[in-house]
mmCIF file of all heavy atoms in Angstrom:
data_model
loop_
_atom_site.group_PDB
_atom_site.id
_atom_site.type_symbol
_atom_site.label_atom_id
_atom_site.label_comp_id
_atom_site.label_asym_id
_atom_site.label_seq_id
_atom_site.Cartn_x
_atom_site.Cartn_y
_atom_site.Cartn_z
ATOM 1 N N MET A 214 -1.466 76.517 -2.415
ATOM 2 C CA MET A 214 -2.731 76.381 -3.095
ATOM 3 C C MET A 214 -3.837 76.339 -2.041
ATOM 4 O O MET A 214 -3.698 75.723 -1.019
ATOM 5 C CB MET A 214 -2.759 75.101 -3.915
ATOM 6 C CG MET A 214 -1.692 74.984 -4.997
ATOM 7 S SD MET A 214 -1.964 76.046 -6.370
ATOM 8 C CE MET A 214 -3.113 75.127 -7.330
ATOM 9 N N LYS A 215 -4.900 77.033 -2.340
ATOM 10 C CA LYS A 215 -6.059 77.008 -1.459
ATOM 11 C C LYS A 215 -7.295 76.905 -2.334
ATOM 12 O O LYS A 215 -7.496 77.721 -3.233
ATOM 13 C CB LYS A 215 -6.119 78.280 -0.615
ATOM 14 C CG LYS A 215 -7.247 78.289 0.376
ATOM 15 C CD LYS A 215 -7.219 79.542 1.243
ATOM 16 C CE LYS A 215 -8.356 79.498 2.229
ATOM 17 N NZ LYS A 215 -8.357 80.683 3.084
ATOM 18 N N ASP A 216 -8.083 75.890 -2.101
ATOM 19 C CA ASP A 216 -9.287 75.634 -2.898
ATOM 20 C C ASP A 216 -8.965 75.510 -4.382
ATOM 21 O O ASP A 216 -9.714 75.970 -5.249
ATOM 22 C CB ASP A 216 -10.331 76.734 -2.684
ATOM 23 C CG ASP A 216 -10.818 76.804 -1.240
ATOM 24 O OD1 ASP A 216 -10.894 75.725 -0.601
ATOM 25 O OD2 ASP A 216 -11.111 77.903 -0.765
ATOM 26 N N GLY A 217 -7.805 74.946 -4.702
ATOM 27 C CA GLY A 217 -7.419 74.730 -6.091
ATOM 28 C C GLY A 217 -6.897 75.961 -6.817
ATOM 29 O O GLY A 217 -6.666 75.928 -8.013
ATOM 30 N N LYS A 218 -6.695 77.066 -6.094
ATOM 31 C CA LYS A 218 -6.197 78.296 -6.712
ATOM 32 C C LYS A 218 -4.875 78.693 -6.074
ATOM 33 O O LYS A 218 -4.651 78.455 -4.894
ATOM 34 C CB LYS A 218 -7.209 79.428 -6.524
ATOM 35 C CG LYS A 218 -8.529 79.174 -7.198
ATOM 36 C CD LYS A 218 -9.484 80.317 -6.970
ATOM 37 C CE LYS A 218 -10.826 80.016 -7.607
ATOM 38 N NZ LYS A 218 -11.796 81.078 -7.354
ATOM 39 N N PRO A 219 -3.968 79.314 -6.855
ATOM 40 C CA PRO A 219 -2.699 79.745 -6.288
ATOM 41 C C PRO A 219 -2.900 80.846 -5.243
ATOM 42 O O PRO A 219 -3.742 81.717 -5.405
ATOM 43 C CB PRO A 219 -1.910 80.285 -7.484
ATOM 44 C CG PRO A 219 -2.789 80.209 -8.659
ATOM 45 C CD PRO A 219 -4.071 79.574 -8.267
ATOM 46 N N VAL A 220 -2.116 80.766 -4.173
ATOM 47 C CA VAL A 220 -2.172 81.759 -3.111
ATOM 48 C C VAL A 220 -0.804 82.418 -3.026
ATOM 49 O O VAL A 220 0.220 81.764 -3.119
ATOM 50 C CB VAL A 220 -2.510 81.099 -1.760
ATOM 51 C CG1 VAL A 220 -2.469 82.110 -0.636
ATOM 52 C CG2 VAL A 220 -3.855 80.422 -1.823
ATOM 53 N N GLY A 221 -0.779 83.715 -2.873
ATOM 54 C CA GLY A 221 0.481 84.425 -2.742
ATOM 55 C C GLY A 221 0.247 85.920 -2.808
ATOM 56 O O GLY A 221 -0.874 86.397 -2.724
ATOM 57 N N VAL A 222 1.315 86.636 -2.979
ATOM 58 C CA VAL A 222 1.264 88.085 -3.006
ATOM 59 C C VAL A 222 1.325 88.562 -4.447
ATOM 60 O O VAL A 222 2.172 88.124 -5.208
ATOM 61 C CB VAL A 222 2.449 88.675 -2.207
ATOM 62 C CG1 VAL A 222 2.449 90.171 -2.278
ATOM 63 C CG2 VAL A 222 2.386 88.212 -0.766
ATOM 64 N N ALA A 223 0.443 89.464 -4.821
ATOM 65 C CA ALA A 223 0.471 90.088 -6.139
ATOM 66 C C ALA A 223 1.058 91.482 -5.981
ATOM 67 O O ALA A 223 0.965 92.095 -4.919
ATOM 68 C CB ALA A 223 -0.936 90.163 -6.716
ATOM 69 N N GLY A 224 1.662 91.988 -7.032
ATOM 70 C CA GLY A 224 2.246 93.315 -6.968
ATOM 71 C C GLY A 224 2.187 94.015 -8.306
ATOM 72 O O GLY A 224 1.968 93.387 -9.348
ATOM 73 N N SER A 225 2.383 95.319 -8.266
ATOM 74 C CA SER A 225 2.415 96.092 -9.499
ATOM 75 C C SER A 225 3.286 97.315 -9.280
ATOM 76 O O SER A 225 3.575 97.699 -8.146
ATOM 77 C CB SER A 225 1.006 96.510 -9.919
ATOM 78 O OG SER A 225 0.452 97.389 -8.967
ATOM 79 N N GLY A 226 3.708 97.929 -10.368
ATOM 80 C CA GLY A 226 4.528 99.117 -10.273
ATOM 81 C C GLY A 226 4.990 99.558 -11.644
ATOM 82 O O GLY A 226 4.494 99.088 -12.668
ATOM 83 N N THR A 227 5.923 100.478 -11.655
ATOM 84 C CA THR A 227 6.500 100.951 -12.910
ATOM 85 C C THR A 227 8.004 100.694 -12.892
ATOM 86 O O THR A 227 8.629 100.699 -11.833
ATOM 87 C CB THR A 227 6.232 102.445 -13.142
ATOM 88 O OG1 THR A 227 6.741 103.187 -12.038
ATOM 89 C CG2 THR A 227 4.766 102.731 -13.286
ATOM 90 N N VAL A 228 8.555 100.501 -14.070
ATOM 91 C CA VAL A 228 9.972 100.213 -14.224
ATOM 92 C C VAL A 228 10.536 101.139 -15.285
ATOM 93 O O VAL A 228 9.972 101.254 -16.370
ATOM 94 C CB VAL A 228 10.195 98.743 -14.658
ATOM 95 C CG1 VAL A 228 11.665 98.451 -14.855
ATOM 96 C CG2 VAL A 228 9.595 97.791 -13.654
ATOM 97 N N ALA A 229 11.633 101.816 -14.987
ATOM 98 C CA ALA A 229 12.322 102.648 -15.971
ATOM 99 C C ALA A 229 13.470 101.822 -16.547
ATOM 100 O O ALA A 229 14.375 101.411 -15.819
ATOM 101 C CB ALA A 229 12.859 103.913 -15.324
ATOM 102 N N VAL A 230 13.434 101.553 -17.841
ATOM 103 C CA VAL A 230 14.461 100.760 -18.504
ATOM 104 C C VAL A 230 15.501 101.728 -19.056
ATOM 105 O O VAL A 230 15.242 102.456 -20.006
ATOM 106 C CB VAL A 230 13.856 99.899 -19.642
ATOM 107 C CG1 VAL A 230 14.941 99.079 -20.307
ATOM 108 C CG2 VAL A 230 12.748 99.025 -19.118
ATOM 109 N N LYS A 231 16.682 101.760 -18.450
ATOM 110 C CA LYS A 231 17.728 102.686 -18.880
ATOM 111 C C LYS A 231 18.516 102.138 -20.057
ATOM 112 O O LYS A 231 18.933 102.888 -20.924
ATOM 113 C CB LYS A 231 18.654 103.004 -17.719
ATOM 114 C CG LYS A 231 17.938 103.751 -16.623
ATOM 115 C CD LYS A 231 18.890 104.298 -15.608
ATOM 116 C CE LYS A 231 18.104 105.012 -14.545
ATOM 117 N NZ LYS A 231 18.636 106.292 -14.242
ATOM 118 N N PHE A 232 18.732 100.826 -20.083
ATOM 119 C CA PHE A 232 19.497 100.205 -21.164
ATOM 120 C C PHE A 232 18.947 98.813 -21.414
ATOM 121 O O PHE A 232 18.672 98.073 -20.478
ATOM 122 C CB PHE A 232 20.981 100.106 -20.784
ATOM 123 C CG PHE A 232 21.791 99.378 -21.814
ATOM 124 C CD1 PHE A 232 22.165 100.004 -22.987
ATOM 125 C CD2 PHE A 232 22.155 98.056 -21.622
ATOM 126 C CE1 PHE A 232 22.898 99.326 -23.943
ATOM 127 C CE2 PHE A 232 22.888 97.374 -22.570
ATOM 128 C CZ PHE A 232 23.264 98.016 -23.741
ATOM 129 N N ALA A 233 18.768 98.485 -22.674
ATOM 130 C CA ALA A 233 18.315 97.146 -23.040
ATOM 131 C C ALA A 233 18.959 96.773 -24.371
ATOM 132 O O ALA A 233 19.203 97.630 -25.209
ATOM 133 C CB ALA A 233 16.799 97.104 -23.153
ATOM 134 N N SER A 234 19.240 95.505 -24.553
ATOM 135 C CA SER A 234 19.838 95.048 -25.812
ATOM 136 C C SER A 234 19.153 93.758 -26.260
ATOM 137 O O SER A 234 18.362 93.172 -25.542
ATOM 138 C CB SER A 234 21.335 94.820 -25.637
ATOM 139 O OG SER A 234 21.574 93.792 -24.701
ATOM 140 N N GLY A 235 19.467 93.353 -27.465
ATOM 141 C CA GLY A 235 18.898 92.118 -28.002
ATOM 142 C C GLY A 235 17.407 92.252 -28.229
ATOM 143 O O GLY A 235 16.925 93.258 -28.753
ATOM 144 N N ALA A 236 16.652 91.260 -27.801
ATOM 145 C CA ALA A 236 15.204 91.239 -28.013
ATOM 146 C C ALA A 236 14.489 92.358 -27.261
ATOM 147 O O ALA A 236 13.390 92.749 -27.626
ATOM 148 C CB ALA A 236 14.644 89.887 -27.583
ATOM 149 N N PHE A 237 15.117 92.904 -26.226
ATOM 150 C CA PHE A 237 14.495 93.953 -25.419
ATOM 151 C C PHE A 237 14.975 95.356 -25.793
ATOM 152 O O PHE A 237 14.673 96.325 -25.107
ATOM 153 C CB PHE A 237 14.762 93.707 -23.936
ATOM 154 C CG PHE A 237 14.134 92.444 -23.435
ATOM 155 C CD1 PHE A 237 14.892 91.295 -23.249
ATOM 156 C CD2 PHE A 237 12.779 92.381 -23.166
ATOM 157 C CE1 PHE A 237 14.317 90.129 -22.800
ATOM 158 C CE2 PHE A 237 12.191 91.214 -22.712
ATOM 159 C CZ PHE A 237 12.957 90.084 -22.532
ATOM 160 N N ALA A 238 15.716 95.516 -26.873
ATOM 161 C CA ALA A 238 16.268 96.805 -27.280
ATOM 162 C C ALA A 238 15.182 97.862 -27.485
ATOM 163 O O ALA A 238 15.409 99.042 -27.224
ATOM 164 C CB ALA A 238 17.103 96.651 -28.544
ATOM 165 N N ALA A 239 14.006 97.471 -27.917
ATOM 166 C CA ALA A 239 12.915 98.430 -28.146
ATOM 167 C C ALA A 239 12.446 99.083 -26.844
ATOM 168 O O ALA A 239 11.818 100.143 -26.873
ATOM 169 C CB ALA A 239 11.751 97.732 -28.831
ATOM 170 N N LEU A 240 12.729 98.483 -25.687
ATOM 171 C CA LEU A 240 12.317 99.038 -24.405
ATOM 172 C C LEU A 240 13.304 100.040 -23.832
ATOM 173 O O LEU A 240 13.001 100.716 -22.850
ATOM 174 C CB LEU A 240 12.114 97.903 -23.389
ATOM 175 C CG LEU A 240 11.022 96.895 -23.702
ATOM 176 C CD1 LEU A 240 11.040 95.788 -22.664
ATOM 177 C CD2 LEU A 240 9.675 97.562 -23.760
ATOM 178 N N SER A 241 14.476 100.177 -24.423
ATOM 179 C CA SER A 241 15.512 101.068 -23.910
ATOM 180 C C SER A 241 15.004 102.507 -23.837
ATOM 181 O O SER A 241 14.465 103.047 -24.795
ATOM 182 C CB SER A 241 16.749 100.986 -24.804
ATOM 183 O OG SER A 241 17.804 101.723 -24.231
ATOM 184 N N GLY A 242 15.149 103.137 -22.679
ATOM 185 C CA GLY A 242 14.744 104.515 -22.473
ATOM 186 C C GLY A 242 13.258 104.696 -22.184
ATOM 187 O O GLY A 242 12.792 105.827 -22.066
ATOM 188 N N LYS A 243 12.501 103.627 -22.037
ATOM 189 C CA LYS A 243 11.061 103.726 -21.796
ATOM 190 C C LYS A 243 10.722 103.386 -20.347
ATOM 191 O O LYS A 243 11.505 102.776 -19.636
ATOM 192 C CB LYS A 243 10.299 102.770 -22.705
ATOM 193 C CG LYS A 243 10.343 103.145 -24.160
ATOM 194 C CD LYS A 243 9.424 102.250 -24.955
ATOM 195 C CE LYS A 243 9.418 102.688 -26.407
ATOM 196 N NZ LYS A 243 8.508 101.869 -27.196
ATOM 197 N N THR A 244 9.531 103.806 -19.949
ATOM 198 C CA THR A 244 8.971 103.419 -18.661
ATOM 199 C C THR A 244 7.830 102.457 -18.946
ATOM 200 O O THR A 244 6.979 102.730 -19.777
ATOM 201 C CB THR A 244 8.454 104.651 -17.898
ATOM 202 O OG1 THR A 244 9.540 105.552 -17.694
ATOM 203 C CG2 THR A 244 7.876 104.264 -16.553
ATOM 204 N N ILE A 245 7.814 101.325 -18.257
ATOM 205 C CA ILE A 245 6.789 100.315 -18.490
ATOM 206 C C ILE A 245 6.092 99.962 -17.175
ATOM 207 O O ILE A 245 6.633 100.174 -16.092
ATOM 208 C CB ILE A 245 7.382 99.038 -19.133
ATOM 209 C CG1 ILE A 245 8.545 98.491 -18.313
ATOM 210 C CG2 ILE A 245 7.834 99.319 -20.548
ATOM 211 C CD1 ILE A 245 9.127 97.208 -18.843
ATOM 212 N N LYS A 246 4.877 99.454 -17.283
ATOM 213 C CA LYS A 246 4.111 99.005 -16.121
ATOM 214 C C LYS A 246 4.336 97.514 -15.919
ATOM 215 O O LYS A 246 4.409 96.760 -16.880
ATOM 216 C CB LYS A 246 2.634 99.290 -16.313
ATOM 217 C CG LYS A 246 2.312 100.754 -16.327
ATOM 218 C CD LYS A 246 0.834 100.992 -16.508
ATOM 219 C CE LYS A 246 0.551 102.477 -16.571
ATOM 220 N NZ LYS A 246 -0.870 102.743 -16.789
ATOM 221 N N LEU A 247 4.423 97.102 -14.672
ATOM 222 C CA LEU A 247 4.712 95.724 -14.302
ATOM 223 C C LEU A 247 3.602 95.207 -13.390
ATOM 224 O O LEU A 247 3.224 95.877 -12.437
ATOM 225 C CB LEU A 247 6.057 95.662 -13.579
ATOM 226 C CG LEU A 247 6.455 94.383 -12.890
ATOM 227 C CD1 LEU A 247 6.791 93.320 -13.928
ATOM 228 C CD2 LEU A 247 7.638 94.619 -11.992
ATOM 229 N N ILE A 248 3.074 94.025 -13.703
ATOM 230 C CA ILE A 248 2.082 93.358 -12.856
ATOM 231 C C ILE A 248 2.561 91.923 -12.616
ATOM 232 O O ILE A 248 2.885 91.221 -13.563
ATOM 233 C CB ILE A 248 0.693 93.333 -13.526
ATOM 234 C CG1 ILE A 248 0.206 94.759 -13.783
ATOM 235 C CG2 ILE A 248 -0.307 92.586 -12.653
ATOM 236 C CD1 ILE A 248 -1.040 94.827 -14.640
ATOM 237 N N VAL A 249 2.621 91.523 -11.358
ATOM 238 C CA VAL A 249 3.068 90.179 -10.990
ATOM 239 C C VAL A 249 1.965 89.512 -10.176
ATOM 240 O O VAL A 249 1.442 90.090 -9.230
ATOM 241 C CB VAL A 249 4.379 90.235 -10.166
ATOM 242 C CG1 VAL A 249 4.835 88.852 -9.795
ATOM 243 C CG2 VAL A 249 5.465 90.980 -10.917
ATOM 244 N N LYS A 250 1.598 88.264 -10.575
ATOM 245 C CA LYS A 250 0.543 87.509 -9.891
ATOM 246 C C LYS A 250 1.034 86.095 -9.625
ATOM 247 O O LYS A 250 1.801 85.551 -10.415
ATOM 248 C CB LYS A 250 -0.701 87.419 -10.764
ATOM 249 C CG LYS A 250 -1.315 88.731 -11.143
ATOM 250 C CD LYS A 250 -2.553 88.516 -11.965
ATOM 251 C CE LYS A 250 -2.248 88.790 -13.406
ATOM 252 N NZ LYS A 250 -3.377 88.669 -14.304
ATOM 253 N N PRO A 251 0.595 85.469 -8.543
ATOM 254 C CA PRO A 251 0.961 84.076 -8.301
ATOM 255 C C PRO A 251 0.300 83.167 -9.337
ATOM 256 O O PRO A 251 -0.828 83.399 -9.752
ATOM 257 C CB PRO A 251 0.433 83.793 -6.902
ATOM 258 C CG PRO A 251 -0.621 84.815 -6.662
ATOM 259 C CD PRO A 251 -0.254 86.015 -7.477
ATOM 260 N N ALA A 252 1.038 82.120 -9.773
ATOM 261 C CA ALA A 252 0.514 81.189 -10.779
ATOM 262 C C ALA A 252 0.584 79.743 -10.319
ATOM 263 O O ALA A 252 0.235 78.848 -11.054
ATOM 264 C CB ALA A 252 1.282 81.354 -12.086
ATOM 265 N N GLY A 253 1.057 79.501 -9.113
ATOM 266 C CA GLY A 253 1.161 78.149 -8.593
ATOM 267 C C GLY A 253 2.310 78.073 -7.604
ATOM 268 O O GLY A 253 2.955 79.068 -7.322
ATOM 269 N N PRO A 254 2.579 76.898 -7.092
ATOM 270 C CA PRO A 254 3.673 76.740 -6.134
ATOM 271 C C PRO A 254 5.012 77.143 -6.770
ATOM 272 O O PRO A 254 5.391 76.625 -7.817
ATOM 273 C CB PRO A 254 3.664 75.258 -5.796
ATOM 274 C CG PRO A 254 2.339 74.757 -6.244
ATOM 275 C CD PRO A 254 1.890 75.651 -7.348
ATOM 276 N N ASN A 255 5.698 78.100 -6.156
ATOM 277 C CA ASN A 255 6.996 78.586 -6.624
ATOM 278 C C ASN A 255 6.955 79.094 -8.062
ATOM 279 O O ASN A 255 7.947 79.032 -8.770
ATOM 280 C CB ASN A 255 8.071 77.508 -6.484
ATOM 281 C CG ASN A 255 8.288 77.109 -5.045
ATOM 282 O OD1 ASN A 255 8.280 77.958 -4.160
ATOM 283 N ND2 ASN A 255 8.443 75.835 -4.801
ATOM 284 N N ARG A 256 5.814 79.607 -8.515
ATOM 285 C CA ARG A 256 5.661 80.133 -9.872
ATOM 286 C C ARG A 256 4.919 81.454 -9.815
ATOM 287 O O ARG A 256 4.112 81.682 -8.921
ATOM 288 C CB ARG A 256 4.888 79.152 -10.734
ATOM 289 C CG ARG A 256 5.540 77.784 -10.803
ATOM 290 C CD ARG A 256 4.893 77.000 -11.866
ATOM 291 N NE ARG A 256 5.594 77.369 -13.077
ATOM 292 C CZ ARG A 256 6.006 76.509 -13.983
ATOM 293 N NH1 ARG A 256 5.713 75.262 -13.858
ATOM 294 N NH2 ARG A 256 6.650 76.906 -15.029
ATOM 295 N N PHE A 257 5.193 82.317 -10.786
ATOM 296 C CA PHE A 257 4.475 83.564 -10.877
ATOM 297 C C PHE A 257 4.281 83.944 -12.339
ATOM 298 O O PHE A 257 4.952 83.453 -13.203
ATOM 299 C CB PHE A 257 5.209 84.683 -10.105
ATOM 300 C CG PHE A 257 6.561 85.010 -10.673
ATOM 301 C CD1 PHE A 257 6.707 86.006 -11.622
ATOM 302 C CD2 PHE A 257 7.684 84.332 -10.253
ATOM 303 C CE1 PHE A 257 7.936 86.312 -12.150
ATOM 304 C CE2 PHE A 257 8.926 84.632 -10.775
ATOM 305 C CZ PHE A 257 9.055 85.624 -11.721
ATOM 306 N N GLU A 258 3.329 84.820 -12.567
ATOM 307 C CA GLU A 258 3.017 85.310 -13.894
ATOM 308 C C GLU A 258 3.353 86.797 -13.913
ATOM 309 O O GLU A 258 2.974 87.539 -13.020
ATOM 310 C CB GLU A 258 1.510 85.120 -14.124
ATOM 311 C CG GLU A 258 1.027 85.463 -15.478
ATOM 312 C CD GLU A 258 -0.464 85.159 -15.583
ATOM 313 O OE1 GLU A 258 -0.861 83.999 -15.350
ATOM 314 O OE2 GLU A 258 -1.216 86.108 -15.866
ATOM 315 N N GLN A 259 4.091 87.222 -14.916
ATOM 316 C CA GLN A 259 4.537 88.605 -14.997
ATOM 317 C C GLN A 259 4.033 89.220 -16.307
ATOM 318 O O GLN A 259 4.172 88.630 -17.368
ATOM 319 C CB GLN A 259 6.058 88.636 -14.950
ATOM 320 C CG GLN A 259 6.654 89.999 -14.989
ATOM 321 C CD GLN A 259 8.151 89.948 -14.760
ATOM 322 O OE1 GLN A 259 8.623 89.216 -13.900
ATOM 323 N NE2 GLN A 259 8.896 90.680 -15.540
ATOM 324 N N GLU A 260 3.452 90.405 -16.212
ATOM 325 C CA GLU A 260 2.923 91.092 -17.399
ATOM 326 C C GLU A 260 3.574 92.469 -17.491
ATOM 327 O O GLU A 260 3.571 93.232 -16.524
ATOM 328 C CB GLU A 260 1.414 91.234 -17.283
ATOM 329 C CG GLU A 260 0.761 91.925 -18.428
ATOM 330 C CD GLU A 260 -0.737 92.047 -18.244
ATOM 331 O OE1 GLU A 260 -1.324 91.251 -17.497
ATOM 332 O OE2 GLU A 260 -1.297 92.973 -18.822
ATOM 333 N N LEU A 261 4.142 92.780 -18.642
ATOM 334 C CA LEU A 261 4.756 94.096 -18.885
ATOM 335 C C LEU A 261 3.947 94.814 -19.957
ATOM 336 O O LEU A 261 3.635 94.246 -20.999
ATOM 337 C CB LEU A 261 6.197 93.929 -19.377
ATOM 338 C CG LEU A 261 7.157 93.177 -18.467
ATOM 339 C CD1 LEU A 261 8.478 92.940 -19.154
ATOM 340 C CD2 LEU A 261 7.369 93.934 -17.172
ATOM 341 N N THR A 262 3.587 96.078 -19.698
ATOM 342 C CA THR A 262 2.882 96.886 -20.679
ATOM 343 C C THR A 262 3.539 98.256 -20.753
ATOM 344 O O THR A 262 4.121 98.726 -19.775
ATOM 345 C CB THR A 262 1.394 97.064 -20.304
ATOM 346 O OG1 THR A 262 1.296 97.644 -19.027
ATOM 347 C CG2 THR A 262 0.663 95.740 -20.326
ATOM 348 N N ASP A 263 3.464 98.883 -21.894
ATOM 349 C CA ASP A 263 4.042 100.230 -22.002
ATOM 350 C C ASP A 263 2.992 101.284 -22.165
ATOM 351 O O ASP A 263 1.841 101.073 -22.171
ATOM 352 C CB ASP A 263 5.019 100.319 -23.152
ATOM 353 C CG ASP A 263 4.437 99.931 -24.481
ATOM 354 O OD1 ASP A 263 3.378 99.325 -24.546
ATOM 355 O OD2 ASP A 263 5.093 100.229 -25.483
#
């Protein structure tokens, strides 16, 4: 933490989902965008969009 805000590395990219089951079955065969941001000590926030 620096000045009350999380410090760390953020990243983004694309993910090809070849197989998914259960709650994620709708993502099977799709390509999705991934964004990862720091959210605190040893924590991160992950956002998936299609």
Side-chain angles (χ1 to χ4, degrees):
M214 300 288 277
K215 183 177 181 180
D216 297 326
K218 297 180 182 177
V220 176
V222 177
S225 65
T227 57
V228 178
V230 180
K231 295 191 181 228
F232 175 77
S234 63
F237 296 102
L240 297 175
S241 187
K243 292 187 177 182
T244 300
I245 54 177
K246 293 180 182 178
L247 169 71
I248 300 170
V249 180
K250 300 182 257 182
N255 298 320
R256 302 192 86 135
F257 64 92
E258 185 177 303
Q259 181 173 318
E260 180 181 336
L261 301 173
T262 57
D263 56 345

